């Protein structure tokens, strides 16, 4: 079982309290799961999703007022919806569930090994299982999955708990903090130059020192180098024979 870059945050929604507690307990035994939020209705589930950065939601299909299918339909219109896993005793709704782009469909009672497989799929979708020596990055954009060669990534920009990967002609948002990528990609030639930027050393064309401020040039893009990171950047670039210009 490959460990994700960060623990997953999930919501469990069921109008039967014992079912919520049982599933929350099983998820809590999985090292890939961080926080499990509980919801006793569809409305509560939507409130949890609105209030937090949620990776996945485990939904009972038959809930009063707002069903699991209705929640999934509401989430499908979002730019970056959480993964949806239906957990139900109803075998007949699987087709409708997958029409709504559900990631998985679990039948009650849930078997731990089957739940573990669902968590694995969530990790892949959330881009949390990137191995340290991976040469490609899987990026999910709505219903489309793209494979980006890591060698094409020129720099990475922090955006809260997300990171934006910049290539020569496009950018891609992934749900991974910059600090995690810094740790995972250190051996692949990426160097932290600023609290907001991680740069591929082999894409640096020039280092500038102007008025006591440092920056690196990647094609037509200039990125700042912070005072805190400047010594490490110097050492890294010296090793790669990239010399600063005055």
């Amino acid at each position: 079982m490959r460990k994700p870059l960060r623990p997953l945050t999930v919501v469990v929604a069921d109008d039967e309290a014992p079912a919520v507690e049982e599933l929350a307990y099983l998820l809590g035994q999985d090292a890939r799961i961080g926080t499990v939020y509980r919801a006793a209705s569809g409305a509560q589930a939507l409130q949890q999703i609105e209030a937090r950065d949620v990776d996945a939601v485990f939904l009972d299909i038959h809930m009063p007022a707002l069903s699991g299918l209705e929640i999934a339909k509401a989430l499908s219109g979002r730019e970056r919806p959480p993964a949806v896993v239906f957990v139900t005793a109803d075998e007949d709704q699987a087709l409708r569930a997958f029409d709504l782009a559900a990631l998985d469909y679990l039948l009650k009672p849930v078997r731990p090994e089957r739940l573990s497989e669902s968590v694995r799929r969530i990790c892949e979708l959330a881009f949390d299982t990137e191995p340290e020596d991976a040469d490609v990055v899987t990026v999910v954009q709505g219903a489309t999955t793209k494979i980006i060669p890591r060698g094409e990534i020129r720099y990475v920009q922090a955006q809260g708990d997300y990171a934006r990967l910049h290539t020569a002609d496009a950018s891609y948002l992934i749900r991974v903090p910059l600090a995690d990528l810094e740790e995972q990609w250190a051996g692949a030639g990426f160097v932290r130059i600023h609290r907001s930027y991680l740069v591929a050393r082999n894409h640096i064309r020039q280092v500038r020192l102007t008025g006591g401020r440092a920056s690196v040039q990647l094609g037509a893009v200039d990125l700042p180098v912070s005072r805190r990171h400047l010594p490490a950047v110097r050492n890294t670039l010296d090793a790669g024979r990239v010399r600063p210009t005055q």
Side-chain angles (χ1 to χ4, degrees):
M1 181 174 67
R2 191 179 290 160
K3 187 177 179 181
L5 293 178
R6 59 173 174 78
L8 299 175
T9 298
V10 301
V11 172
V12 174
D14 197 311
D15 60 318
E16 297 182 0
V20 171
E21 292 305 319
E22 179 182 3
L23 186 55
Y25 172 78
L26 290 175
L27 287 167
Q29 303 306 299
D30 194 312
R32 297 166 294 184
I33 300 294
T35 305
V36 180
Y37 293 101
R38 296 161 172 80
S41 66
Q44 284 187 14
L46 284 179
Q47 289 173 359
Q48 297 279 21
I49 296 167
E50 291 287 349
R52 298 174 172 87
D53 186 12
V54 175
D55 296 297
V57 55
F58 291 80
L59 296 171
D60 181 30
I61 285 184
H62 299 293
M63 291 185 287
L66 191 62
S67 72
L69 293 171
E70 290 170 326
I71 294 172
K73 186 175 181 179
L75 294 176
S76 66
R78 299 188 175 196
E79 182 179 355
R80 296 187 63 83
V84 172
V85 176
F86 288 109
V87 185
T88 179
D90 188 351
E91 298 184 32
D92 299 330
Q93 297 293 331
L95 185 59
R96 288 187 65 192
F98 288 115
D99 282 343
L100 292 169
L103 183 71
D104 209 347
Y105 192 92
L106 303 179
L107 290 175
K108 298 178 180 178
V110 177
R111 293 180 289 114
E113 61 273 18
R114 186 66 181 81
L115 182 60
S116 179
E117 171 62 16
S118 286
V119 174
R120 183 191 66 78
R121 295 180 185 181
I122 295 167
C123 288
E124 290 182 350
L125 184 63
F127 180 45
D128 280 340
T129 56
E130 184 73 15
E132 221 174 287
D133 59 349
D135 293 324
V136 297
V137 178
T138 303
V139 178
V140 178
Q141 296 181 308
T144 303
T145 300
K146 296 194 69 172
I147 305 299
I148 311 299
R150 189 167 58 185
E152 294 183 4
I153 299 171
R154 304 167 79 187
Y155 67 97
V156 186
Q157 181 180 8
Q159 293 191 347
D161 289 332
Y162 292 77
R164 184 169 292 279
L165 311 177
H166 291 264
T167 64
D169 53 8
S171 69
Y172 307 92
L173 192 66
I174 60 173
R175 192 182 295 178
V176 182
L178 189 66
D180 290 342
L181 289 180
E182 177 186 10
E183 180 181 350
Q184 293 290 322
W185 291 2
F190 282 79
V191 56
R192 188 72 170 263
I193 64 168
H194 188 276
R195 66 181 179 182
S196 298
Y197 295 104
L198 185 67
V199 172
R201 185 177 63 192
N202 64 332
H203 283 287
I204 297 176
R205 294 294 170 259
Q206 194 175 50
V207 183
R208 293 178 176 173
L209 298 174
T210 307
R213 295 189 176 186
S215 64
V216 295
Q217 184 178 16
L218 297 86
V221 178
D222 279 312
L223 300 176
V225 179
S226 68
R227 290 181 179 274
R228 173 188 172 191
H229 291 95
L230 184 55
V233 171
R234 283 182 181 275
N235 291 337
T236 301
L237 298 183
D238 283 345
R241 296 185 180 180
V242 177
R243 304 299 182 186
T245 60
Q246 301 296 330

